[in-house]
Amino acid sequence: MSLTGAYDPDNIFAKILRGEIPSVKVWEDDRILAFMDVFPQSEGHVLVISKTSTAQNLLGIDADDLAAVTAAVQRTARAVTRALSPDGFSIMQFNGEAGGQTVFHLHFHVIPRWADRPMKGHGHAPMADVEALKTLAAKIAAALD
Ligand code: 5GP
């Protein structure tokens, strides 16, 4: 997918937003959904997306929606770090197929990191157990501001 192609309303995250495929939600409001990555690169890997923008990537989102998403990324990272006590965390965001993006609805990755645990590669992590994701999501949600 190029950086400037049309938004596909049938991408996986659009289907998750419409409730057509399941996801393990951490939190949501009118503008934002934060949910567990089903192929986590690290325990507690959360994705944060806009409900109101159909930007494919960082180039297409308007400033107001971007402000809401970045505030949501910070809120999520605070909860993840409180809940799981990692040594650090990575915020990742990929743009265009050549940039490593595989789902073309703009999203930010919140990935907790531990000094003694290598992070799995992007696109190379196995599918997680859904019950384990639900447990993590509940723990993170309980630590939200
Ligand atoms: P990207 O490669 O576009 O930056 O990130 C897409 C992310 O979506 C990947 O980390 C991948 O593991 C995750 N992902 C792909 N399919 C699904 C799915 O059906 N459900 C969830 N929760 N995550 C998905």
Side-chain angles (χ1 to χ4, degrees):
M1 177 68 75
S2 75
L3 286 172
T4 54
Y7 181 81
D8 174 7
D10 286 325
N11 74 73
I12 294 166
F13 294 171
K15 289 181 176 177
I16 285 174
L17 284 175
R18 291 195 295 268
E20 292 169 7
I21 61 171
S23 65
V24 177
K25 294 180 183 181
V26 178
W27 69 275
E28 65 183 324
D29 62 18
D30 290 349
R31 305 186 69 160
I32 297 296
L33 173 64
F35 59 106
M36 303 306 294
D37 195 307
V38 80
F39 303 102
Q41 290 179 246
S42 174
E43 186 177 60
H45 181 168
V46 181
L47 299 169
V48 179
I49 65 176
S50 171
K51 291 182 175 180
T52 50
S53 172
T54 53
Q56 287 186 76
N57 58 57
L58 191 64
L59 300 179
I61 190 167
D62 68 46
D64 191 45
D65 283 327
L66 180 59
V69 175
T70 50
V73 168
Q74 185 193 49
R75 182 176 190 227
T76 303
R78 283 177 171 160
V80 165
T81 53
R82 277 188 206 118
L84 304 179
S85 303
D87 299 313
F89 65 93
S90 298
I91 303 299
M92 295 189 180
Q93 194 276 312
F94 300 89
N95 298 278
E97 198 168 353
Q101 187 176 9
T102 57
V103 179
F104 299 97
H105 179 114
L106 172 66
H107 52 280
F108 286 78
H109 301 255
V110 178
I111 307 178
R113 308 284 299 270
W114 286 267
D116 59 351
R117 296 190 219 168
M119 184 178 75
K120 297 183 180 76
H122 183 67
H124 298 285
M127 187 179 277
D129 173 72
V130 172
E131 290 309 313
L133 290 184
K134 286 180 180 170
T135 301
L136 283 165
K139 205 169 170 185
I140 297 165
L144 284 164
D145 285 324

